[in-house]
């Protein structure tokens, strides 16, 4: 189990994870690009340095006298340093990740993007995300959702959320909506310009719905939520 807490060493350095085979070097550098807003030329420069083994971790990239180091440092904090330090996690077999103890949404997005890249090509796997809505609040989290919900044979990603956001309602595959937003009486599920009429799906507050999206259709399976979910 991976417990994510602000300031705790997590061992989730994408460059180190590339070195041990969880993904390719371009994916590792693309994660850094997304987290710190590197432009294309700086990303390419970092990619070359990673390939030449001049950079073996994100903290090393920060300490180099390079333009990409300056850009990373603009938003680099002690939380980032802790994220990349510590022993690497074993990301094989079943992995349970608890993001609920972290208060920094930026940290949550960074962790989830790194893990999503490590799990992206898994087969014969079920991935469950609860609560998925928070992951849509940062560029990193949104990028991670698109990695894991991309249609892939022999893998399914179920996104569960108490809140409805467009980024969740339009992902490919099933979304389990445990809907009880206190400010909205009901949700009109609309995807890709579905017109008024019976094809629109209404999910009332206090209801649960499993939304199944495919290129051809949008199906909804309704059910009442248990009382303890609503408390």
């Amino acid at each position: 189990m991976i417990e994510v807490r602000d300031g705790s060493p997590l061992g989730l350095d994408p460059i180190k994870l590339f070195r041990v085979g969880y993904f390719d070097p371009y994916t590792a550098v693309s994660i850094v690009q997304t987290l710190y807003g590197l432009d294309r030329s700086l990303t390419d420069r970092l990619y070359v340095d990673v390939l030449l083994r001049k950079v073996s971790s994100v903290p090393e990239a920060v300490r180099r006298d390079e333009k990409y180091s300056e850009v990373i440092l603009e938003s680099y904090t002690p939380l980032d340093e802790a994220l990349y330090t510590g022993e690497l996690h074993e990301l094989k077999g079943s992995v349970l990740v608890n993001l609920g103890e972290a208060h920094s949404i930026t940290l949550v997005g960074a962790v989830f993007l790194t893990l999503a890249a490590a799990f992206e090509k898994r087969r014969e796997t079920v991935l469950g995300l609860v609560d998925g809505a928070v992951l849509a609040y940062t560029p990193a989290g949104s990028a991670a959702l698109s990695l894991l919900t991309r249609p892939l044979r022999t893998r399914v990603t179920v996104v569960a959320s108490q809140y409805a956001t467009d980024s969740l309602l339009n992902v490919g595959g099933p979304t389990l909506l445990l809907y009880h937003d206190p400010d909205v009486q009901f949700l009109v599920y609309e995807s890709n310009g579905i017109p008024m009429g019976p094809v629109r799906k209404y999910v009332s507050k206090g209801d649960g719905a499993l939304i199944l999206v495919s290129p051809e259709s949008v199906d909804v399976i309704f059910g009442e939520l248990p009382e303890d979910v609503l408390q």
Side-chain angles (χ1 to χ4, degrees), residues 126-155:
V126 175
L127 302 168
L129 310 176
V130 182
D131 185 329
V134 70
L135 300 171
Y137 296 154
T138 66
S142 295
L145 279 173
S146 67
L147 286 179
L148 290 182
T149 57
R150 182 181 302 151
L152 180 70
R153 298 180 71 181
T154 72
R155 189 187 77 200

Side-chain angles (χ1 to χ4, degrees), residues 112-176:
F112 190 64
L113 177 57
T114 304
L115 292 174
F119 299 149
E120 180 188 7
K121 291 182 170 60
R122 282 195 176 194
R123 300 295 193 274
E124 299 180 355
T125 298
V126 175
L127 302 168
L129 310 176
V130 182
D131 185 329
V134 70
L135 300 171
Y137 296 154
T138 66
S142 295
L145 279 173
S146 67
L147 286 179
L148 290 182
T149 57
R150 182 181 302 151
L152 180 70
R153 298 180 71 181
T154 72
R155 189 187 77 200
V156 61
T157 302
V158 181
V159 181
S161 177
Q162 298 178 9
Y163 303 95
T165 63
D166 290 342
S167 58
L168 292 184
L169 295 180
N170 291 296
V171 300
T175 298
L176 177 62

Side-chain angles (χ1 to χ4, degrees), residues 11 48 52 62 102 161 165 180 205 209 214 226:
V48 170
L52 295 178
V62 172
S161 177
T165 63
H180 59 90
K205 183 169 66 174
S214 74

Side-chain angles (χ1 to χ4, degrees), residues 42-97:
L42 296 181
T43 301
D44 289 344
R45 181 63 210 173
L46 177 58
Y47 179 62
V48 170
D49 285 351
V50 169
L51 286 180
L52 295 178
R53 295 186 174 271
K54 294 180 179 179
V55 172
S56 59
S57 67
V58 176
E60 277 193 19
V62 172
R63 290 191 290 269
R64 287 182 63 82
D65 186 19
E66 297 284 352
K67 183 62 178 177
Y68 59 69
S69 307
E70 297 176 15
V71 175
I72 294 173
L73 275 170
E74 290 176 1
S75 55
Y76 196 79
T77 71
L79 292 181
D80 297 71
E81 189 77 17
L83 171 62
Y84 305 128
T85 57
E87 294 186 9
L88 294 180
H89 287 281
E90 182 76 16
L91 301 179
K92 298 178 181 179
S94 298
V95 180
L96 180 63
V97 182

